[in-house]
Amino acid sequence: MVEFGKKLKERQIEEWRGYYINYKLMKKKVKQYANQIEAGALERRHVLKDFSRMLDNQIEKIVLFMLEQQGLLASRIAQLNEQQEAILEQPDISKISELREAYREVGKDLLKLLLFVEINAIGLRKILKKFDKRFGYKFTDYYVKTRANHPYSQLQQVFKHVGLGAVVGAISRNLADLQDRQGSYLSIYDQPALPLQEPVVDSLQSAVDRLTHSTNFLEFLGQHALIMHDELPSVVEEHIDNQRYHFMSLILNLANTFLYMVNTYIIVPTADDYSTSLGAAPTVCGIVIGAMAVAQIFSSVYFSAWSNKSYFRPLVFSSIVLLIGNAMYALAYDSKSLTLLLLGRVFCGLGSARAVNRRYISDCVPLKIRMQASAGFVSASALGMACGPAFAGLLQTNFRIFDITFNQVTLPGWVMTIAWACYLVLLSISFIEPACEIEVDDAPEKSSAAKNDKLEKGLAQPLLMSTEHEQDDDGDQECDASEEAPEESRRPANSLGAAYRLLTPSVKVQLLIYFMLKYAMEILLSESSVISSYYFGWTTSEVSIFLASLGLTVLPINIVVGSYISNMYEDRQILLASEIVVFLGILFSFQFIVPYSVPQYVCSGLIMFVAAEVLEGVNLSLLSRVMSSRLSRGTYNGGLLSTEAGTFARVIADATITIGGYFGESNLLNLTLIPSLVICIGSIVATCCTYNSLY
């Protein structure tokens, strides 16, 4: 992998070389500051002032050049518009073709300018991160806050690009007007759904999407899955992906995700009845439900490590363990054994292959459809979450075969046993183990055109987001004790401790938020059968309908957030607003008055759940941006850390329900909501403290 300094040199447009960020100079300046501070020759205040001035000068140079080029492009478009008006008065097909080609040439030059802004923004982000890492300051917070919010800010030009967007729109509109649509010339503004088959426009839109924070439903869901990608994937990597991809294997991978989520939630409506039938208190359902999460804490680690070598064998092992676990769960009723019941759930947790599911998509699905596959992972999870309780509501029967009881508490176990057996058969027949990943050494030098094309096809990620750990060295031999060697800085974390050391304060806050929302959701879902039956006398079917209705809100809410809200507001704004709404949902759930009513319970639960779903998507989207790219690979990756945080939250929540049960069912609701409220307040405070770093 080539260091950023070398990438910057290789991808610079020769005639614009003097207008790029002087990354090497600034990097040496950072080292010089460090030496002078160590020698006592400089004060912190002087360093901050001098470095701020240097950054301002670099950004001013970039922005003024960008505006100059933007003006030249606008002038060329204006001249072409005059020609277009004259040609359309007396249409000539050959002249129209020449004019369209001229617009395309302007589009190609605009694409160069967009790539110029992109790589400079990446350089700015990296040098800010390097400065903070070297000195331990929160300079990035200060600099972005003071510059981005100032009315005369030149940094806003790097963030917003309103003028560039207008030029893109002008080129797109004129090319659309010149396109032959069966004899009529339609404006893209009149029929926005009409497709424009122009590769240059597609390339421009892709570049603009990277420069702005615009998103869509598919991308939002993909980020929701926290399947992380390298910032600039290589052509070689895409070729390897195509060799490893198999459609039916991907479907089976997603089916595993769906079945596991069904398996998790299918017992929730009847867990309290099952506990009671075995002589335990209804609130022991917390331990029954949480036993699966406890085991998942450990299974996530070994499945993540196993996926380094194979995908087929972990999925087979997962299916067998889940089959056995569900059979044990179902047989516990006739055995009158609470121990067997809990062991069955532990086995189910030991079969959690979600780390493998994520890893398969990240490693084996081609880049061009990886976002769709990531969205499929989230959709399969959401559908399984809704179908689990719904299936439980349908299993309201009671009969015996060969002295084995089949009723509403055992049938979820038997149904999942059969489901995993069928899945195991399909897996054995249809899944194809991907070819071993090819280790690629330093690739030969590409032509500058190829490099620009590679950058043009980069992932749609906001530019001033910290998506990868610094790859500091660009050949000037400046590594010292405070920095990692270049090769070391690119290796994935090899232990939980190493992964933890890569977590910045903003990443830790995002993991805390993830912990909070999973805790609040688990409290709501796991104690729903106990609370609703105690206060309202709900049956299993009614609890199932309530839980299934909550699960069915996941995809519609993600559509609204991914397609609309995230285009109107910054992610950090949505994050903070969602936390506040979760806080209000928890607050309204408390039993302030007697009697506790169904509308209060349902409305407060719905508010909290929907806000938590919005929060989860935005939280994981931000997490994928601010997390080190060293956590996108290896056993101890970002997906594992988020899974562990969420699973640990579920374990504590389920334990809280069981402990709260000892104080009586009348006190259970308020006792379990108090920790949720405290953690939520803590996460809001932490978000406010790191708000300016979530850009």
Side-chain angles (χ1 to χ4, degrees):
M1 185 182 293
V2 181
E3 292 77 14
F4 176 74
K6 293 181 180 178
K7 287 182 183 178
L8 179 61
K9 292 177 184 177
E10 292 169 355
R11 295 180 183 181
Q12 286 178 353
I13 298 171
E14 185 61 36
E15 57 269 27
W16 295 355
R17 187 172 294 276
Y19 300 100
Y20 285 88
I21 184 172
N22 196 332
Y23 181 77
K24 185 173 182 179
L25 173 65
M26 299 188 75
K27 187 176 174 183
K28 289 183 176 179
K29 195 70 175 176
V30 169
K31 184 181 179 182
Q32 182 182 341
Y33 289 146
N35 294 335
Q36 289 176 328
I37 289 176
E38 187 176 349
L42 273 182
E43 295 181 357
R44 176 180 181 273
R45 180 173 54 84
H46 177 78
V47 169
L48 295 178
K49 182 179 179 180
D50 192 51
F51 193 64
S52 296
R53 184 167 52 245
M54 181 180 292
L55 278 173
D56 290 339
N57 291 337
Q58 291 289 318
I59 293 173
E60 182 177 274
K61 174 183 69 174
I62 295 165
V63 168
L64 291 178
F65 178 76
M66 180 185 73
L67 292 175
E68 178 188 354
Q69 294 299 313
Q70 185 177 307
L72 294 174
L73 292 172
S75 298
R76 290 170 61 186
I77 292 174
Q79 293 174 4
L80 293 175
N81 287 347
E82 293 175 0
Q83 296 178 32
Q84 181 176 342
E85 290 177 4
I87 291 174
L88 292 181
E89 289 178 2
Q90 296 180 340
D92 185 320
I93 293 178
S94 62
K95 290 184 178 180
I96 289 176
S97 298
E98 291 176 2
L99 189 59
R100 289 180 65 189
E101 191 60 37
Y103 275 118
R104 290 191 188 104
E105 289 301 317
V106 176
K108 291 176 183 177
D109 289 341
L110 175 58
L111 183 59
K112 291 180 181 178
L113 185 59
L114 289 169
L115 298 178
F116 167 83
V117 177
E118 177 176 7
I119 201 164
N120 277 294
I122 294 173
L124 174 62
R125 187 200 76 211
K126 284 180 173 290
I127 201 65
L128 283 168
K129 186 176 179 182
K130 184 177 183 63
F131 187 89
D132 284 349
K133 174 185 173 184
R134 194 69 179 259
F135 298 106
Y137 299 159
K138 291 186 177 180
F139 177 74
T140 299
D141 292 10
Y142 160 77
Y143 190 81
V144 172
K145 180 179 179 180
T146 55
R147 268 58 174 180
N149 296 327
H150 195 278
Y152 304 132
S153 169
Q154 292 175 330
L155 191 61
Q156 286 282 13
Q157 291 290 335
V158 181
F159 275 120
K160 301 298 182 183
H161 333 291
V162 177
L164 289 174
V167 179
V168 173
I171 294 173
S172 302
R173 182 186 67 81
N174 285 290
L175 282 172
D177 287 348
L178 291 172
Q179 185 170 345
D180 182 13
R181 300 190 188 279
Q182 299 179 345
S184 65
Y185 297 97
L186 301 175
S187 171
I188 59 172
Y189 304 125
D190 298 326
Q191 298 196 22
L194 215 55
L196 176 61
Q197 302 298 327
E198 283 288 351
V200 68
V201 173
D202 292 340
S203 298
L204 287 171
Q205 191 57 56
S206 176
V208 170
D209 285 343
R210 290 197 301 271
L211 287 169
T212 62
H213 291 192
S214 63
T215 184
N216 57 37
F217 173 52
L218 195 63
E219 292 170 344
F220 185 79
L221 281 183
Q223 291 170 329
H224 197 141
L226 196 62
I227 295 171
M228 300 174 66
H229 316 289
D230 286 334
E231 187 176 85
L232 296 174
S234 68
V235 177
V236 176
E237 287 169 344
E238 292 186 27
H239 176 67
I240 293 171
D241 283 343
N242 288 327
Q243 287 183 325
R244 291 159 63 83
Y245 174 63
H246 179 243
F247 176 74
M248 191 59 194
S249 299
L250 174 61
I251 296 300
L252 288 169
N253 185 65
L254 296 178
N256 183 280
T257 299
F258 169 76
L259 287 176
Y260 187 78
M261 293 302 290
V262 171
N263 209 148
T264 300
Y265 290 99
I266 195 171
I267 71 147
V268 172
T270 58
D272 59 333
D273 291 338
Y274 208 157
S275 301
T276 304
S277 68
L278 297 179
T283 52
V284 173
C285 69
I287 293 180
V288 174
I289 296 170
M292 191 171 180
V294 172
Q296 190 178 345
I297 292 176
F298 303 100
S299 66
S300 296
V301 177
Y302 66 71
F303 271 116
S304 182
W306 202 349
S307 63
N308 290 325
K309 299 179 180 179
S310 174
Y311 301 98
F312 176 69
R313 288 191 290 275
L315 290 177
V316 169
F317 177 79
S318 165
S319 304
I320 294 173
V321 172
L322 282 158
L323 187 154
I324 295 172
N326 281 288
M328 292 169 65
Y329 179 86
L331 290 171
Y333 185 84
D334 291 307
S335 302
K336 300 297 180 183
S337 173
L338 182 62
T339 301
L340 185 61
L341 180 72
L342 294 174
L343 283 175
R345 290 296 287 176
V346 168
F347 263 69
C348 289
L350 292 175
S352 171
R354 287 176 68 79
V356 179
N357 302 146
R358 280 195 177 101
R359 188 72 177 273
Y360 182 87
I361 294 173
S362 177
D363 292 353
C364 303
V365 176
L367 181 62
K368 59 185 177 183
I369 63 168
R370 194 172 298 162
M371 193 63 75
Q372 291 94 318
S374 301
F377 175 85
V378 175
S379 301
S381 298
L383 188 60
M385 183 179 179
C387 289
F391 289 158
L394 298 175
L395 303 176
Q396 303 301 302
T397 186
N398 192 346
F399 59 92
R400 290 176 65 86
I401 300 177
F402 300 118
D403 294 327
I404 298 176
T405 303
F406 296 87
N407 57 23
Q408 66 175 12
V409 298
T410 63
L411 275 172
W414 291 122
V415 167
M416 293 312 303
T417 299
I418 295 171
W420 285 113
C422 295
Y423 175 80
L424 185 59
V425 172
L426 286 174
L427 188 70
S428 303
I429 295 172
S430 302
F431 191 91
I432 296 179
E433 181 76 271
C436 293
E437 189 169 354
I438 302 171
E439 294 293 335
V440 182
D441 294 321
D442 291 336
E445 291 296 315
K446 310 286 192 301
S447 67
S448 60
K451 288 165 188 165
N452 284 336
D453 183 61
K454 178 173 148 187
L455 179 60
E456 174 188 325
K457 295 179 181 177
L459 291 176
Q461 293 182 344
L463 291 174
L464 291 178
M465 303 295 172
S466 178
T467 56
E468 64 175 25
H469 191 69
E470 280 300 306
Q471 294 166 12
D472 294 328
D473 219 271
D474 56 4
D476 55 355
Q477 301 294 324
E478 72 167 62
C479 291
D480 57 27
S482 66
E483 297 184 60
E484 296 172 311
E487 187 63 32
E488 184 68 24
S489 69
R490 296 194 295 270
R491 291 176 184 168
N494 56 10
S495 68
L496 283 175
Y500 181 80
R501 286 191 292 273
L502 291 174
L503 303 183
T504 61
S506 58
V507 174
K508 291 176 183 177
V509 169
Q510 294 308 304
L511 290 175
L512 171 64
I513 294 171
Y514 193 66
F515 177 92
M516 179 273 292
L517 68 91
K518 285 298 182 183
Y519 182 93
M521 291 172 69
E522 188 72 8
I523 288 290
L524 172 66
L525 298 175
S526 295
E527 71 177 12
S528 59
S529 58
V530 178
I531 296 298
S532 59
S533 62
Y534 177 78
Y535 286 105
F536 320 126
W538 281 5
T539 63
T540 299
S541 296
E542 290 170 320
V543 176
S544 300
I545 292 171
F546 172 66
L547 294 178
S549 299
L550 290 179
L552 288 173
T553 64
V554 174
L555 288 180
I557 291 301
N558 279 322
I559 290 174
V560 173
V561 176
S563 299
Y564 302 104
I565 296 179
S566 61
N567 288 324
M568 298 167 61
Y569 302 98
E570 295 180 14
D571 281 355
R572 59 182 180 175
Q573 294 174 321
I574 303 172
L575 183 85
L576 186 56
S578 300
E579 287 181 273
I580 294 172
V581 175
V582 169
F583 168 79
L584 294 175
I586 296 171
L587 195 63
F588 294 153
S589 297
F590 278 88
Q591 184 188 3
F592 293 116
I593 58 174
V594 179
Y596 193 55
S597 64
V598 172
Q600 180 186 353
Y601 177 69
V602 172
C603 291
S604 60
L606 185 63
I607 289 171
M608 182 172 67
F609 187 85
V610 168
E613 277 299 322
V614 174
L615 181 60
E616 181 175 5
V618 178
N619 167 252
L620 293 181
S621 173
L622 279 171
L623 194 58
S624 68
R625 297 172 186 173
V626 300
M627 189 174 281
S628 165
S629 70
R630 290 178 61 189
L631 295 174
S632 67
R633 309 179 300 276
T635 300
Y636 302 95
N637 53 62
L640 175 65
L641 292 179
S642 64
T643 298
E644 294 290 77
T647 304
F648 191 54
R650 290 172 51 206
V651 170
I652 296 178
D654 292 325
T656 303
I657 294 171
T658 300
I659 294 171
Y662 286 105
F663 297 91
E665 292 184 38
S666 60
N667 298 314
L668 177 65
L669 179 65
N670 287 350
L671 285 175
T672 53
L673 287 175
I674 289 173
S676 298
L677 193 67
V678 172
I679 299 171
C680 186
I681 292 172
S683 70
I684 292 174
V685 172
T687 301
C688 292
C689 291
T690 59
Y691 186 78
N692 290 319
S693 64
L694 302 175
Y695 56 89

